[in-house]
Amino acid sequence: MLVASSTYTLLDTFVFEQHYGTVSSSVASTESSDDSAAANSTSTTTAVKTYTENSTTIYVADIYLGAGQTIQTALASNTYGKNVTDTTSNIASSVDATVAVNGDYYGARNNGYVIRNGELLRSTKAGDDQEDLVLWEDGTMSIITESNYTAQELLDKGALQVLSFGPGLVIDSNISVTANDEVGQAMTSNPRTAIGYIGDNHYVLVVADGRTSESEGLTLLELAEFMHGLSVQQAYNLDGGGSSTMYSDGKVVNNPTTNGSVITQRSVSDILYVK
Amino acid sequence: MSNSVKKPLYIYIAITITCGLFSFIYEHFSHNVYSNFIVYLFVIPLVLGVVPQLVALIYPKLAVGGSWQKTMHNFAIATLTAGAILQGIVEIYGTSTTFTRYYFEIGVALLALGIAMWIIRLRQAK
């Protein structure tokens, strides 16, 4: 009986898909589509650069959003649910993304706000100290604490995307983590994914490789310092480890380390992207 | 040394060592993501299994539990150990489940039942 119940628990936690509903994979642009001159002047531009710091290869997608454009999110199979997953590249190609990174893997947890493309999907708090990433409809980004807002309040204030992972790395241009702040109890170098807001529709999506002989990985503090060096006003840590993947122009540009050694993509719940 | 004490003592020592080895191996491959449920897994069979058997060895008059009491106690340890392993796996993966709480609730209930049965037997023996 114990073996059977334990097997069921593991299957329910890691395998059985639970679909709660389908969602939109994009936010409607506020730009006028019939004005070609305006459309040209408001197109989003992206460029991926590679850095090496702390014995780690770091990929930075430098993004200038066109007017009326926002960072968007997409869910695996356009479905909100538990254990509904796909690779970052598959989700990205399904929405014609130019650049994409993995999101917060909301499906691995039962709590924490989830708002995607202006749709409230989960309103249960992960905890009073939980810091969430908020991407607003005016193109700005901020980091809030769940104890200060309900998910509905964030939606009413104009939140297009709310991701619940964290912590915030840089808040109001100041590094907001210390050497003792880690996700769960991951106290050492790991692959990382982060998003940073520099200002005036200028964002960076960052992925650091890790767990390989070529690239050690970053601690949260090292990641925060790197983001701070990119002159971001706000920066937020997303799901890392084997999930950390960057997709650009039709291919995966980093070396995701599923199971710690094999270079292959892990299936995830969601992505952040631009197109 | 009585066989009724010696055999379960050896079994619980073996389970404690096995849990310790499991923790060591699991944590070794978990990329330095730790869960106290895995790290301290060995404490469950050690405190609830080895220690009571050692006490029974030193004070044989306390070894009065019947077969039902022993069964309850063994099930309690098995349930708590399984719950701790599952909770540790879930924490290290960074996910959550509502099921593991039932392991701890049932494990504690079985443990309390076993202790109650042991107290009754002890009083009857006196």
Side-chain angles (χ1 to χ4, degrees), chain A residues 76-119:
Chain A
S77 306
N78 281 336
T79 300
Y80 172 60
K82 184 176 182 182
N83 293 326
V84 182
T85 60
D86 202 348
T87 60
T88 294
S89 61
N90 279 347
I91 304 173
S93 63
S94 75
V95 293
D96 297 325
T98 308
V99 171
V101 295
N102 60 290
D104 66 352
Y105 210 145
Y106 74 87
R109 299 170 301 281
N110 296 318
N111 300 307
Y113 298 164
V114 179
I115 295 176
R116 298 303 157 88
N117 300 324
E119 197 172 343

Coordinates of all heavy atoms in Angstrom, one line a residue, chain A residues 76-119:
Chain A
A76 N 3.1 26.1 -22.6 CA 3.2 24.9 -23.4 C 1.8 24.5 -23.8 O 0.8 24.5 -23.0 CB 3.8 23.8 -22.5
S77 N 1.6 24.2 -25.1 CA 0.4 23.8 -25.7 C -0.7 24.8 -25.5 O -1.9 24.5 -25.5 CB -0.1 22.4 -25.1 OG 0.9 21.5 -25.2
N78 N -0.3 26.1 -25.2 CA -1.3 27.1 -24.9 C -2.3 26.7 -23.8 O -3.5 27.1 -23.9 CB -2.1 27.5 -26.2 CG -1.3 28.4 -27.1 OD1 -0.5 29.1 -26.6 ND2 -1.7 28.4 -28.4
T79 N -1.8 25.9 -22.9 CA -2.7 25.4 -21.9 C -2.2 25.7 -20.5 O -1.0 25.4 -20.2 CB -2.9 23.8 -22.1 OG1 -3.4 23.6 -23.4 CG2 -3.8 23.2 -21.1
Y80 N -3.1 26.2 -19.7 CA -2.7 26.4 -18.3 C -3.0 25.1 -17.5 O -4.1 24.6 -17.5 CB -3.5 27.6 -17.7 CG -3.4 27.7 -16.2 CD1 -2.1 28.0 -15.7 CD2 -4.4 27.6 -15.4 CE1 -1.9 28.1 -14.3 CE2 -4.3 27.8 -14.0 CZ -3.0 28.0 -13.5 OH -2.9 28.1 -12.1
G81 N -2.0 24.5 -16.9 CA -2.2 23.3 -16.2 C -1.0 22.8 -15.5 O 0.1 23.5 -15.5
K82 N -1.1 21.7 -14.8 CA 0.0 21.1 -14.1 C 0.6 20.0 -15.0 O -0.1 19.2 -15.6 CB -0.5 20.5 -12.8 CG 0.6 19.9 -11.9 CD 0.1 19.5 -10.6 CE 1.2 19.0 -9.7 NZ 0.7 18.5 -8.4
N83 N 2.0 19.9 -15.0 CA 2.7 19.0 -15.8 C 2.4 19.1 -17.3 O 2.5 18.1 -18.0 CB 2.4 17.5 -15.3 CG 3.0 17.3 -13.9 OD1 4.0 17.8 -13.6 ND2 2.3 16.5 -13.1
V84 N 1.9 20.2 -17.7 CA 1.8 20.5 -19.2 C 3.0 21.2 -19.6 O 3.2 22.4 -19.3 CB 0.5 21.4 -19.5 CG1 0.4 21.6 -21.0 CG2 -0.7 20.8 -18.9
T85 N 3.9 20.5 -20.3 CA 5.2 21.1 -20.6 C 5.6 20.8 -22.1 O 5.1 19.9 -22.7 CB 6.3 20.4 -19.7 OG1 6.3 19.0 -19.9 CG2 6.0 20.7 -18.2
D86 N 6.6 21.6 -22.5 CA 7.2 21.5 -23.8 C 8.6 22.2 -23.7 O 8.8 23.0 -22.8 CB 6.3 22.0 -24.9 CG 6.7 21.4 -26.3 OD1 7.7 20.7 -26.4 OD2 5.9 21.6 -27.2
T87 N 9.4 21.9 -24.7 CA 10.7 22.6 -24.6 C 10.5 24.1 -25.0 O 9.6 24.5 -25.7 CB 11.7 22.0 -25.7 OG1 11.1 22.1 -27.0 CG2 11.9 20.5 -25.3
T88 N 11.5 24.9 -24.5 CA 11.4 26.3 -24.8 C 11.4 26.6 -26.3 O 10.6 27.4 -26.8 CB 12.7 27.0 -24.1 OG1 12.5 26.9 -22.7 CG2 12.7 28.5 -24.5
S89 N 12.2 25.8 -27.0 CA 12.3 26.1 -28.5 C 11.0 25.7 -29.2 O 10.6 26.4 -30.1 CB 13.5 25.3 -29.1 OG 13.3 23.9 -28.9
N90 N 10.3 24.6 -28.7 CA 9.0 24.3 -29.4 C 8.0 25.3 -29.1 O 7.2 25.7 -30.0 CB 8.6 22.9 -28.8 CG 9.2 21.7 -29.5 OD1 9.9 21.9 -30.6 ND2 9.1 20.6 -29.0
I91 N 7.9 25.8 -27.8 CA 6.9 26.8 -27.5 C 7.2 28.1 -28.3 O 6.3 28.7 -28.8 CB 6.9 27.1 -26.0 CG1 6.7 25.8 -25.2 CG2 5.8 28.1 -25.6 CD1 6.8 26.0 -23.7
A92 N 8.5 28.4 -28.3 CA 8.9 29.7 -29.0 C 8.6 29.6 -30.5 O 8.1 30.6 -31.1 CB 10.4 29.9 -28.8
S93 N 8.9 28.5 -31.1 CA 8.6 28.4 -32.6 C 7.1 28.4 -32.8 O 6.7 28.9 -33.9 CB 9.3 27.2 -33.2 OG 8.7 26.0 -32.6
S94 N 6.3 27.9 -31.9 CA 4.9 27.9 -32.1 C 4.3 29.3 -32.1 O 3.2 29.5 -32.6 CB 4.2 27.0 -31.0 OG 4.2 27.7 -29.8
V95 N 5.0 30.2 -31.5 CA 4.4 31.6 -31.4 C 5.3 32.6 -32.3 O 5.2 33.8 -32.2 CB 4.4 32.1 -30.0 CG1 3.3 31.4 -29.2 CG2 5.7 32.1 -29.3
D96 N 6.2 32.0 -33.1 CA 7.0 32.8 -34.0 C 7.9 33.8 -33.2 O 8.1 34.9 -33.7 CB 6.2 33.5 -35.1 CG 5.5 32.5 -36.0 OD1 6.0 31.5 -36.3 OD2 4.3 32.8 -36.4
A97 N 8.4 33.3 -32.1 CA 9.3 34.2 -31.3 C 10.6 34.5 -32.0 O 11.2 33.6 -32.6 CB 9.5 33.6 -30.0
T98 N 11.1 35.7 -31.9 CA 12.4 36.0 -32.3 C 13.4 35.6 -31.3 O 14.5 35.0 -31.5 CB 12.6 37.5 -32.6 OG1 11.5 37.9 -33.4 CG2 13.9 37.8 -33.2
V99 N 13.2 36.0 -30.0 CA 14.0 35.6 -28.9 C 13.1 35.1 -27.8 O 12.0 35.7 -27.5 CB 14.8 36.8 -28.4 CG1 15.5 36.5 -27.1 CG2 15.8 37.2 -29.4
A100 N 13.5 34.1 -27.1 CA 12.7 33.5 -26.0 C 13.6 33.0 -24.9 O 14.7 32.5 -25.2 CB 11.7 32.5 -26.5
V101 N 13.1 33.0 -23.7 CA 13.8 32.3 -22.6 C 12.7 31.5 -21.8 O 11.5 31.9 -21.9 CB 14.6 33.2 -21.6 CG1 15.8 33.8 -22.3 CG2 13.7 34.2 -21.0
N102 N 13.1 30.6 -21.0 CA 12.2 29.8 -20.2 C 11.6 30.8 -19.1 O 12.2 31.8 -18.8 CB 12.9 28.7 -19.5 CG 14.0 29.1 -18.6 OD1 15.0 29.6 -19.1 ND2 13.8 29.1 -17.3
G103 N 10.4 30.5 -18.6 CA 9.7 31.4 -17.7 C 9.9 31.0 -16.2 O 11.1 30.6 -15.8
D104 N 8.8 30.9 -15.5 CA 8.9 30.6 -14.0 C 8.6 29.2 -13.7 O 8.6 28.8 -12.5 CB 8.1 31.6 -13.2 CG 6.6 31.4 -13.4 OD1 6.2 30.7 -14.4 OD2 5.8 32.1 -12.7
Y105 N 8.2 28.4 -14.7 CA 7.8 27.0 -14.5 C 6.7 26.9 -13.4 O 6.7 26.2 -12.5 CB 9.0 26.1 -14.1 CG 8.8 24.6 -14.5 CD1 9.9 23.9 -14.9 CD2 7.6 24.0 -14.6 CE1 9.8 22.6 -15.3 CE2 7.5 22.7 -15.0 CZ 8.6 22.0 -15.3 OH 8.5 20.6 -15.7
Y106 N 5.6 27.8 -13.7 CA 4.5 27.9 -12.7 C 3.9 26.5 -12.4 O 3.4 26.3 -11.3 CB 3.5 28.8 -13.3 CG 2.7 28.2 -14.4 CD1 1.6 27.4 -14.1 CD2 3.1 28.2 -15.7 CE1 0.8 26.8 -15.1 CE2 2.4 27.6 -16.7 CZ 1.3 26.8 -16.4 OH 0.6 26.1 -17.3
G107 N 3.9 25.6 -13.4 CA 3.3 24.3 -13.2 C 3.9 23.4 -12.2 O 3.3 22.4 -11.9
A108 N 5.1 23.8 -11.8 CA 5.8 22.9 -10.8 C 5.3 23.2 -9.4 O 5.7 22.6 -8.4 CB 7.3 23.1 -10.9
R109 N 4.5 24.3 -9.3 CA 4.0 24.7 -7.9 C 2.5 24.9 -8.0 O 2.0 25.2 -9.0 CB 4.8 26.0 -7.5 CG 6.3 25.9 -7.4 CD 6.9 27.2 -7.2 NE 6.7 28.1 -8.3 CZ 7.3 28.1 -9.4 NH1 8.2 27.2 -9.7 NH2 7.0 29.0 -10.4
N110 N 1.9 24.8 -6.8 CA 0.5 25.0 -6.7 C 0.1 26.4 -6.3 O -1.1 26.8 -6.3 CB -0.1 24.0 -5.7 CG 0.1 22.6 -6.1 OD1 -0.1 22.2 -7.3 ND2 0.5 21.7 -5.2
N111 N 1.1 27.2 -5.9 CA 0.8 28.6 -5.4 C 1.7 29.6 -6.1 O 2.7 29.2 -6.8 CB 1.1 28.6 -3.9 CG 0.2 27.7 -3.1 OD1 -1.0 27.7 -3.3 ND2 0.9 26.8 -2.3
G112 N 1.3 30.9 -5.9 CA 2.1 31.9 -6.5 C 1.2 32.5 -7.7 O 0.6 31.7 -8.5
Y113 N 1.2 33.8 -7.7 CA 0.3 34.5 -8.8 C 0.8 34.1 -10.2 O 2.0 34.0 -10.5 CB 0.4 36.0 -8.6 CG -0.1 36.6 -7.3 CD1 0.2 37.9 -7.0 CD2 -0.9 35.8 -6.5 CE1 -0.2 38.4 -5.8 CE2 -1.3 36.4 -5.3 CZ -1.0 37.7 -4.9 OH -1.4 38.2 -3.8
V114 N -0.2 33.9 -11.0 CA 0.0 33.7 -12.5 C -0.9 34.5 -13.3 O -2.1 34.3 -13.3 CB -0.2 32.2 -12.9 CG1 0.1 32.0 -14.4 CG2 0.8 31.3 -12.0
I115 N -0.4 35.6 -13.9 CA -1.1 36.4 -14.9 C -0.3 36.3 -16.2 O 0.9 36.5 -16.2 CB -1.3 37.8 -14.4 CG1 -2.1 37.9 -13.1 CG2 -1.9 38.7 -15.5 CD1 -2.3 39.3 -12.6
R116 N -1.0 35.9 -17.2 CA -0.3 35.8 -18.5 C -1.1 36.5 -19.6 O -2.3 36.2 -19.8 CB -0.1 34.3 -18.9 CG 0.8 33.6 -17.9 CD 2.2 34.3 -17.7 NE 2.8 34.0 -16.5 CZ 3.6 32.9 -16.2 NH1 3.8 32.1 -17.2 NH2 4.1 32.7 -15.0
N117 N -0.4 37.4 -20.3 CA -1.0 38.1 -21.4 C -2.4 38.7 -21.0 O -3.4 38.7 -21.7 CB -1.2 37.2 -22.6 CG 0.2 36.7 -23.1 OD1 1.2 37.4 -23.0 ND2 0.2 35.5 -23.5
G118 N -2.4 39.3 -19.8 CA -3.6 40.0 -19.3 C -4.7 39.1 -18.8 O -5.8 39.5 -18.5
E119 N -4.4 37.8 -18.5 CA -5.4 36.9 -18.0 C -4.9 36.3 -16.7 O -3.8 35.8 -16.6 CB -5.5 35.7 -19.1 CG -6.7 34.9 -18.9 CD -6.9 33.9 -20.1 OE1 -6.2 34.1 -21.1 OE2 -7.6 32.9 -19.9

